[in-house]
Amino acid sequence: MAALGGDGLRLLSVSRPERPPESAALGGPGPGLCCWVSVFSCLSLACSYVGSLYVWKSELPRDHPAVIKRRFTSVLVVSSLSPLCVLLWRELTGIQPGTSLLTLMGFRLEGIFPAALLPLLLTMILFLGPLMQLSMDCPCDLADGLKVVLAPRSWARCLTDMRWLRNQVIAPLTEELVFRACMLPMLAPCMGLGPAVFTCPLFFGVAHFHHIIEQLRFRQSSVGSIFLSAAFQFSYTAVFGAYTAFLFIRTGHLIGPVLCHSFCNYMGFPAVCAALEHPQRRPLLAGYALGVGLFLLLLQPLTDPKLYGSLPLCVLLERAGDSEAPLCS
């Protein structure tokens, strides 16, 4: 993922004297103030998203269907209103992206089919080892498994399962909308695409710290274990957030990150320790290594911007004369 480490290109700083920054030409605020507006807007979105989970007072645990239904309501309201934050940011900074707000947030038809399929395929390749492990431990064969997956009754059962809906539908959709589609357009003009890829996931990782409250409240483990688990969760959610931010920028679509998020929620964190103790340890570990190797090899080709048409965030930077962003080519 060497492309992720590229230097950020600054939209609001004067890098070419003959062409002033877009916001300066529009009479917008200076670079420092614009960055503060961007960071504060992202922080407000993160706090609003997490805060919406706790507007309902309940003594029930987070996995109770009644709690999940209430949180669906508040999270969907906040997520639906989140584009207004981007509109307000645009007015305060004076930045004109040169495209519609929905397009900037990844809602567009151009290149939608490769944007839906290729990032998901790339993520499944990364999880080659865990997928092999799942198939080895599953008592049914491939044909029986496909019958279960494709059966309408199975899908009907999933759609009535509140935990499944939360993990596979609502959480991926709303989190990617708020933490990628809304935050990246605000952060990229301030600090560049590269730094934005790593800054945006920090809000996403911190937002998951609210699980500490739930665990402490219901005494699900010792205090030390709870905080250790939270630190671990912050680490891998931040890494995952950087990956989906990278996908969002490189494809210009929201659908890819949402599908990858749903898939990763289903798979969970790879059970590496179980793989080390598995009866078929050698082929399984070979699958883990092969998956990581193929992922690194195919990361750039399968996210080549040429496959997805014009990229809205890259167009945003090009309007200010910054046409050499490494993630845009």
Side-chain angles (χ1 to χ4, degrees):
M1 301 177 70
L4 294 179
D7 293 332
L9 298 174
R10 298 181 180 274
L11 174 66
L12 301 174
S13 61
V14 181
S15 57
R16 299 185 183 185
E18 69 276 7
R19 182 171 182 174
E22 188 78 13
S23 62
L26 294 171
L33 179 59
C34 185
C35 282
W36 278 110
V37 171
S38 298
V39 172
F40 179 77
S41 299
C42 292
L43 185 61
S44 299
L45 277 177
C47 292
S48 299
Y49 187 92
V50 176
S52 70
L53 301 175
Y54 293 95
V55 296
W56 311 97
K57 293 184 178 180
S58 175
E59 298 300 324
L60 299 172
R62 65 185 295 268
D63 288 335
H64 193 281
V67 174
I68 295 176
K69 287 179 181 179
R70 291 173 180 175
R71 289 184 171 184
F72 277 1
T73 303
S74 54
V75 163
L76 287 173
V77 169
V78 170
S79 301
S80 300
L81 296 176
S82 59
L84 297 178
C85 188
V86 185
L87 283 174
L88 180 61
W89 164 83
R90 190 181 66 180
E91 295 301 318
L92 291 175
T93 59
I95 296 175
Q96 300 299 322
T99 185
S100 68
L101 180 63
L102 289 177
T103 300
L104 190 65
M105 293 172 58
F107 293 95
R108 62 197 187 101
L109 293 178
E110 182 187 15
I112 190 170
F113 291 111
L117 296 176
L118 295 183
L120 181 59
L121 174 62
L122 184 65
T123 308
M124 294 178 71
I125 291 173
L126 177 62
F127 277 78
L128 178 60
L131 286 171
M132 288 176 58
Q133 191 171 350
L134 186 64
S135 64
M136 289 177 180
D137 296 337
C138 182
C140 57
D141 58 22
L142 180 61
D144 291 336
L146 288 175
K147 288 180 181 179
V148 172
V149 170
L150 298 177
R153 185 176 299 178
S154 298
W155 283 100
R157 186 164 53 250
C158 289
L159 293 174
T160 56
D161 184 345
M162 291 296 104
R163 292 183 63 182
W164 187 91
L165 284 174
R166 178 191 63 191
N167 296 335
Q168 311 308 137
V169 181
I170 302 299
L173 178 60
T174 58
E175 289 180 2
E176 294 304 319
L177 173 62
V178 172
F179 292 94
R180 247 65 72 186
C182 289
M183 290 190 183
L184 280 171
M186 294 189 290
L187 291 173
C190 168
M191 59 185 64
L193 294 179
V197 164
F198 293 103
T199 303
C200 184
L202 297 180
F203 296 99
F204 182 60
V206 170
H208 284 74
F209 271 125
H210 73 93
H211 293 308
I212 297 177
I213 300 173
E214 300 273 350
Q215 293 172 344
L216 289 175
R217 182 180 173 190
F218 293 99
R219 298 293 180 183
Q220 296 178 355
S221 184
S222 66
V223 174
S225 298
I226 290 173
F227 279 95
L228 185 62
S229 174
F232 177 72
Q233 187 179 39
F234 169 79
S235 300
Y236 78 74
T237 52
V239 171
F240 173 78
Y243 172 56
T244 55
F246 175 80
L247 292 177
F248 180 82
I249 293 172
R250 295 275 289 179
T251 66
H253 282 271
L254 182 62
I255 188 171
V258 170
L259 292 177
C260 293
H261 194 147
S262 180
F263 173 76
C264 290
N265 277 358
Y266 173 77
M267 294 298 298
F269 192 81
V272 180
C273 293
L276 292 172
E277 300 175 355
H278 200 277
Q280 301 185 52
R281 179 173 65 253
R282 288 186 178 180
L284 192 53
L285 293 179
Y288 269 81
L290 180 62
V292 173
L294 288 175
F295 171 80
L296 295 175
L297 184 66
L298 297 173
L299 178 63
Q300 294 289 345
L302 291 185
T303 60
D304 189 336
K306 295 177 183 178
L307 298 171
Y308 308 103
S310 61
L311 305 183
L313 286 181
C314 296
V315 172
L316 175 63
L317 296 185
E318 287 174 0
R319 282 173 59 83
D322 294 327
S323 57
E324 300 177 359
L327 295 184
C328 294
S329 59

